[in-house]
């Protein structure tokens, strides 16, 4: 990775995610691009044009001043966490965040995105954050979502949900590089309704291919992938869960799986979403 994008609204949630973003940038010797987007209010077309212009100029100035004031605070967070050596670039843009994200990713050749969840009401907002969910759906690069109450204590174990296909191999190859930077191990989980019917030769090939890496393959019997993934997080002490966004239906099922059972103890586990057609970085 060369550049990691970190969108922020300067909230407590965003500042918490900043530490993860800095750690990931340090891990990859990457530049952290800090982005703040703001929206202009809609003013009636019947308003005085001169007054409208003055209002917009005032809002732009206010946002610029606020952004300028926040930069030292962000640098202070980096310094307090011994991460002030990580190079940072700051961008202020006016417009809708979803549109700006796409533009900045293309313009700055971003390889990876780190976002804090926004903690709004509702299951999707509480678990992943609406802005983060939109980013995962629309961007073609990996997105790491950091729940509001996640606390960075190091990354020792990375969980990866796999179907043992070629796209998963590309993702696993990238995860190995990330894992080595953190000194972490990778536990790959495959959920099968009938493990006895699996292609053992395929599992042997994957195991042999990664035998020189700190990678473990775990086959779990079950017919509900989402439930098994959540149980896997707890059982294996997963610090970050990684999955490939194969289709929208799977993604929605993962977000909505077993609300009442899962809500209390899974909101502190960061989640990395890769697209099945993810842009493969040389890292």
């Amino acid at each position: 990775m060369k550049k990691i994008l970190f969108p922020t609204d300067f909230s407590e949630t965003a500042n918490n995610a900043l530490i993860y973003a800095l750690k990931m940038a340090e891990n990859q010797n990457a530049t952290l691009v800090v982005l703040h987007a703001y929206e202009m209010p809609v003013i009636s077309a019947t308003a005085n044009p001169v007054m409208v212009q003055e209002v917009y100029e005032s809002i732009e100035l206010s946002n610029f001043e606020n952004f300028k004031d926040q930069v030292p605070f962000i640098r202070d967070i980096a310094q307090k966490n011994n991460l002030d050596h990580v190079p940072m670039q700051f961008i202020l843009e006016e417009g809708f965040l979803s549109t700006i994200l796409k533009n900045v990713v293309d313009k700055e050749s971003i390889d990876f995105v780190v976002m804090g969840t926004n903690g709004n009401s509702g299951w999707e907002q509480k678990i992943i954050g609406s802005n983060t969910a939109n980013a995962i759906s629309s961007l073609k690069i990996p997105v790491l979502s950091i729940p509001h109450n996640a606390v960075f204590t190091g990354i020792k174990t990375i969980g990866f949900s796999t179907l043992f296909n070629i796209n998963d191999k590309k993702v696993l190859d990238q995860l190995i590089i990330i894992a080595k930077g953190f000194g972490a191990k990778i536990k790959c989980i495959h959920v099968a309704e009938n493990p006895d019917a699996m292609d053992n030769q395929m599992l042997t090939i994957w195991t042999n291919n990664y035998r020189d890496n700190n990678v473990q393959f775990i086959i779990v019997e079950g017919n509900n992938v989402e439930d098994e993934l959540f149980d896997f997080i707890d059982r294996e002490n997963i610090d970050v869960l990684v999955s490939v966004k194969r289709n929208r239906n799977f993604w929605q099922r993962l977000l909505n799986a077993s609300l009442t059972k899962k809500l209390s103890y899974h909101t502190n586990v960061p989640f990395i979403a890769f697209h099945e057609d993810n842009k493969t970085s040389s890292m």
Side-chain angles (χ1 to χ4, degrees), residues 64-129:
F64 174 75
E65 293 295 335
N66 180 52
F67 185 67
K68 186 178 66 173
D69 291 343
Q70 290 292 338
V71 169
F73 184 68
I74 289 174
R75 293 195 183 279
D76 187 53
I77 292 176
Q79 184 177 24
K80 287 179 179 178
N81 288 274
N82 298 316
L83 293 165
D84 49 324
H85 58 279
V86 174
M88 285 188 278
Q89 173 185 346
F90 295 88
I91 298 176
L92 175 66
E93 292 280 355
E94 183 272 321
F96 294 111
L97 178 60
S98 58
T99 301
I100 291 173
L101 279 177
K102 293 179 183 178
N103 293 339
V104 172
V105 164
D106 291 338
K107 181 179 178 181
E108 298 292 333
S109 299
I110 301 295
D111 301 293
F112 198 91
V113 177
V114 179
M115 299 180 69
T117 63
N118 59 17
N120 289 343
S121 60
W123 168 246
E124 180 177 299
Q125 286 76 15
K126 191 175 287 291
I127 296 300
I128 199 76

Side-chain angles (χ1 to χ4, degrees), residues 13 16-17 22 35 42-43 52 83 89 121 171 177-178 187-188 199 202 205 220 237:
T13 297
N16 180 58
L22 287 164
L35 168 69
V42 177
I43 300 178
V52 171
L83 293 165
Q89 173 185 346
S121 60
V171 172
I177 298 174
I178 295 174
K187 293 189 176 183
C188 301
D199 184 351
M202 174 194 62
I205 291 173
V220 175
N237 297 315

Side-chain angles (χ1 to χ4, degrees), residues 162-169 188-190 198 202-203 206-207 217-219 246:
T162 180
L163 294 180
F164 295 116
N165 60 31
I166 186 63
N167 288 305
D168 285 9
K169 183 181 183 303
C188 301
I189 178 175
H190 176 76
M198 282 187 57
M202 174 194 62
L203 180 59
W206 276 65
T207 301
F217 295 96
I218 301 171
I219 308 301
R246 308 180 196 283

Side-chain angles (χ1 to χ4, degrees), residues 98-269:
S98 58
T99 301
I100 291 173
L101 279 177
K102 293 179 183 178
N103 293 339
V104 172
V105 164
D106 291 338
K107 181 179 178 181
E108 298 292 333
S109 299
I110 301 295
D111 301 293
F112 198 91
V113 177
V114 179
M115 299 180 69
T117 63
N118 59 17
N120 289 343
S121 60
W123 168 246
E124 180 177 299
Q125 286 76 15
K126 191 175 287 291
I127 296 300
I128 199 76
S130 58
N131 286 329
T132 312
N134 289 335
I136 291 171
S137 298
S138 60
L139 300 178
K140 300 301 181 182
I141 59 175
V143 177
L144 168 59
S145 64
I146 310 299
H148 172 77
N149 55 348
V151 177
F152 187 89
T153 57
I155 296 178
K156 305 175 185 67
T157 307
I158 298 173
F160 177 46
S161 173
T162 180
L163 294 180
F164 295 116
N165 60 31
I166 186 63
N167 288 305
D168 285 9
K169 183 181 183 303
K170 293 178 182 178
V171 172
L172 182 54
D173 289 342
Q174 296 186 56
L175 289 180
I176 286 173
I177 298 174
I178 295 174
K180 286 181 177 178
F182 286 112
K185 57 188 172 184
I186 300 174
K187 293 189 176 183
C188 301
I189 178 175
H190 176 76
V191 180
E193 290 187 21
N194 183 9
D196 294 334
M198 282 187 57
D199 184 351
N200 290 328
Q201 183 178 5
M202 174 194 62
L203 180 59
T204 300
I205 291 173
W206 276 65
T207 301
N208 290 337
N209 188 61
Y210 294 101
R211 65 180 180 274
D212 295 328
N213 298 283
N214 198 356
V215 177
Q216 178 183 358
F217 295 96
I218 301 171
I219 308 301
V220 175
E221 182 175 2
N223 54 17
N224 189 311
V225 176
E226 296 76 33
D227 278 349
E228 296 300 337
L229 283 179
F230 284 126
D231 290 340
F232 169 74
I233 289 174
D234 293 321
R235 185 175 63 252
E236 302 295 336
N237 297 315
I238 301 300
D239 297 304
V240 177
L241 179 65
V242 181
S243 184
V244 178
K245 181 185 176 295
R246 308 180 196 283
N247 56 65
R248 185 171 181 82
N249 288 337
F250 171 78
W251 182 244
Q252 291 301 324
R253 292 200 309 271
L254 186 60
L255 288 177
N256 292 287
S258 303
L259 169 60
T260 56
K261 179 182 177 183
K262 310 303 178 185
L263 186 59
S264 62
Y265 57 93
H266 292 296
T267 56
N268 62 342
V269 178

Side-chain angles (χ1 to χ4, degrees), residues 1-5 109-113 141-142 279 281:
M1 298 181 198
K2 301 302 181 185
K3 287 187 176 182
I4 295 174
L5 180 63
S109 299
I110 301 295
D111 301 293
F112 198 91
V113 177
I141 59 175
K279 180 185 80 173
S281 169

